[in-house]
Amino acid sequence: MVTWLGTDAYGLDRPPDLRLFLPAVATWLTALGALAAPPWLAWLCAGVLGCAALAVFAAIRLPWEAPALTLVATLVCGATVAAVAGAHVYRTASSAAVSAVERGGEAAFRAVVTTDPRSRAGMPRPGRAEWVVSARTEWVRWDGREHVSRAPVVVLASGPGWADLLPGQSFEARGAFLAADGDRLTAALVPVRGPPEGVTEPGRLQGFAGSVREGLREAAAELPQPERGLLPALIVGDVSALPERTAEDFRATGMTHLLTVSGANLAILTGFVLAVARWTRAPTWCAVLGGALMIWIFVLVCRPEPSVVRAAFMGSLGLLALATGRTQAGMGALCATVVGVLFVAPGLATSYGFALSVLATAGILVLVPGWTRAWSARWPKPVAEAFAVAVAAHVAVAPVLVLLSGEVSWVTVPANVLAAPVVAVVTVAGSALAALASVWPDAAAFLVHLPGLGVSWLALVAETGARVPYGAVPWRSDVAGGLLLAAVVVVLLLTRGLTRRVIAAVMVAVLVLGLAARCVPGGWPPAGWALVACDVGQGDAFVLSSARGEAVVFDTGDDPELVDDCLERLGVRAVPLLVLSHDHADHVDGTPGVLRHRRVSAALAPAGFEESPVGRLLAEEGVALTAAEIGQHLRVGPWLLRVLWPDPEFVGSLNDTSVVIRADGPEMSVLLTGDIEEEAQGRLVRGPEAELLAVTVLTTPHHGAGTQDPAFLSATRAEVSVTSVGRDNSYGHPAPFTLGVLERVAQVNARTDLDGDIAVLGGPIRVAARGPDPDH
């Protein structure tokens, strides 16, 4: 049987073949244990398991032959993967790259690129690595001697030339070898400054793959964003042009698998090839050859990601079964895939991507046939099958997803159901477009709008699903939480009739009551809030309410997710003015979170800010950016905003050129100070703006650092001080000296590290706190 699931669908109409289930589970668990143990212990375990297998095999007697052979296979698989995993760990631990870590200091090295370089998330910053390059060292040199080393390393690179590297190319560089904590199959992390040297030419096959990917990117450049970045991501897993907020929308709706070239892509393509072969009545050998060629090209162009490796191995087994005229049970092929892949690459046992791919496929193979038959009585079969596939895959992977996200999404299933038919069309059409782009770029640029329509639909589904209020239910993100969710899933799957309905009704009632408790009045934010300091860790993000659903935002912290969550809690959907005090990461790098699903009308920042990464982002998003100047007056809702600093003639540190604003509202005044320190504070106290320093609320400069002018703090005569600071930060903020001055000046001193989000309410002035978030 072949469905739109392609080679993953063989045997969907047959009972599950579970003969290899125990060997697959044993292989996986043994690999996990062997990767965490010393090599000698892994080899000892392999020897014990091997001897046990021989003993059981020698003792086999009827009628216990079948279970005994299953036990032998389980023991042999465990012994094999333990030996292989131990060898991998030993090779890494004994490499010259690890010796360079223990030696300390810098070392020169030559390495071979193993995966495409990927850009670091977040805004680029001086001194911060721009690219992450997985590579395998060939030699490491220190003290004038080259030491042969065949070990995996991760290069954290800054400089030109890294983005264009292809797998298989070798290069030379120099950097400090640092320990890769938590990953025993990575010898070192190597920060490198400057371009790679001695770069070799790519191999012919990798050059071909690179040209296909580049051709698709150039064709997609004719599309607007986010379609421009989405199409290469969906077809070949190239996320280099994908907007960060779009990736977050796909994550929030459980559609991230579409951006990582999941096994579903390969399954769809092989299914298309086999369907064409059947429609044209081609001989079996043509179908097998076409499917094998599709698998080989797909892995080459899309790279051997964990889900692709799983799908390629399983698809190859399906083609082998087709070639030999045998029926292939899907679960048997999946279990054989797990065993075979972990024999070759035991490190995939720790890969979330591999786990999600295997579990999703298992859920589809086990649950979809019965659900499709049952639901086809009420719905058209294509709808029933699409819904069954989405539900089965989500149910199977939910216990693992909760470890990554800490939440259970109820939006995922409808979003994936709406996306499924379009994904199949876009995958086939996009793959054909990629092939066309490599031989006829002009035609590809003209035809790209056809798959672009499908990509637009997927982007709309993801964005709409991400904007659904309370679309996910919080859940424990540790092992206990994963096991609890797995237990709930198993109970629902195993129970029947009235028992299942009662359990489901109780769960729905608990979830509805939990959501209702979050929505009832009296929660957060408090009614009548005027100013909120968002708890964004070690950074600043302040919000001034200007109208229902609208607010002025002053600074954004350094984590887009944190400021986005804060604005979501406040119900802010539009930002008439975004003020960015100065170009330091802890004040502006969270800006993508403010832009996500919100209309930002204008921005105010220091002169020259347009040349910064965030300034360029604002330009791309069409946000008008104005340079702040002393004396500017801006009216936003009930607030009158006056720029007090920086002085255009002042020359000082970046902190001391922060934008300082006095905001006057109907019931309070606020002084927003950025990171100004003693020199700028002294200038303000002695300058013509001194009379404007007295306010109701002071946002403490520079997170309460000790670099304060007491006269400035005293001149504010604030009733309330709000210090935005991260818990247990390495800077010692807020300084005891500063706290002492604030206690003498203000009646109430609030801190985000102790109080979480802080709201200031007017008439009379009151302060409310949401409580600290343990994750910040």
Side-chain angles (χ1 to χ4, degrees), residues 408-757:
V408 179
S409 173
W410 59 267
V411 177
T412 295
V413 170
N416 278 281
V417 169
L418 292 172
V422 178
V423 169
V425 175
V426 169
T427 298
V428 175
S431 299
L433 183 77
L436 179 63
S438 62
V439 295
W440 194 0
D442 292 339
F446 175 75
L447 296 174
V448 72
H449 296 280
L450 297 178
L453 292 174
V455 172
S456 298
W457 169 253
L458 297 177
L460 178 63
V461 170
E463 181 178 352
T464 304
R467 299 182 71 169
V468 173
Y470 307 108
V473 180
W475 198 277
R476 291 186 58 164
S477 58
D478 55 7
V479 175
L483 292 176
L484 175 61
L485 185 57
V488 171
V489 169
V490 170
V491 169
L492 287 175
L493 291 176
L494 295 182
T495 54
R496 293 288 186 274
L498 180 61
T499 303
R500 174 185 288 181
R501 289 195 291 271
V502 169
I503 294 174
V506 170
M507 291 179 58
V508 171
V510 170
L511 295 178
V512 170
L513 290 174
L515 291 177
R518 298 175 62 187
C519 300
V520 294
W524 188 263
W529 67 274
L531 168 71
V532 165
C534 295
D535 179 11
V536 291
Q538 184 64 17
D540 274 7
F542 298 97
V543 186
L544 296 168
S545 177
S546 58
R548 183 177 180 84
E550 297 186 4
V552 175
V553 176
F554 185 94
D555 283 343
T556 63
D558 67 352
D559 189 330
E561 188 72 22
L562 296 183
V563 71
D564 180 37
D565 288 346
C566 180
L567 295 176
E568 283 290 329
R569 291 191 292 267
L570 298 175
V572 174
R573 288 298 177 189
V575 179
L577 180 64
L578 170 64
V579 183
L580 300 171
S581 64
H582 63 296
D583 188 27
H584 273 171
D586 59 334
H587 288 256
V588 302
D589 277 11
T591 299
V594 178
L595 296 171
R596 185 172 180 240
H597 301 156
R598 292 179 189 87
R599 184 182 72 256
V600 179
S601 303
L604 185 71
F609 191 84
E610 64 276 5
E611 300 300 327
S612 69
V614 176
R616 290 191 290 271
L617 173 65
L618 294 174
E620 292 172 4
E621 296 294 331
V623 179
L625 178 62
T626 303
E629 297 179 1
I630 288 181
Q632 279 178 314
H633 289 60
L634 301 96
R635 173 66 70 173
V636 183
W639 297 97
L640 174 61
L641 307 177
R642 288 183 274 192
V643 179
L644 307 185
W645 191 259
D647 187 327
E649 298 180 358
F650 173 79
V651 178
S653 67
L654 197 59
N655 281 348
D656 269 336
T657 55
S658 296
V659 174
V660 177
I661 284 184
R662 176 191 172 104
D664 289 285
E667 298 177 320
M668 70 178 69
S669 55
V670 182
L671 190 62
L672 300 154
T673 58
D675 273 354
I676 58 171
E677 300 176 316
E678 295 106 325
E679 189 171 359
Q681 293 175 15
R683 294 282 192 102
L684 281 167
V685 170
R686 297 187 298 272
E689 294 80 17
E691 61 183 23
L692 298 176
L693 296 181
V695 290
T696 313
V697 181
L698 168 69
T699 66
T700 309
H702 200 181
H703 321 293
T707 52
Q708 311 288 338
D709 184 340
F712 171 82
L713 299 180
S714 299
T716 65
R717 290 180 281 171
E719 297 179 35
V720 176
S721 76
V722 180
T723 305
S724 184
V725 62
R727 180 180 302 176
D728 299 326
N729 65 86
S730 59
Y731 305 100
H733 297 166
F737 161 74
T738 303
L739 292 177
V741 177
L742 292 174
E743 288 172 359
R744 294 194 298 271
V745 173
Q747 301 171 19
V748 178
N749 295 284
R751 296 164 46 179
T752 57
D753 59 334
L754 301 180
D755 304 313
D757 291 352

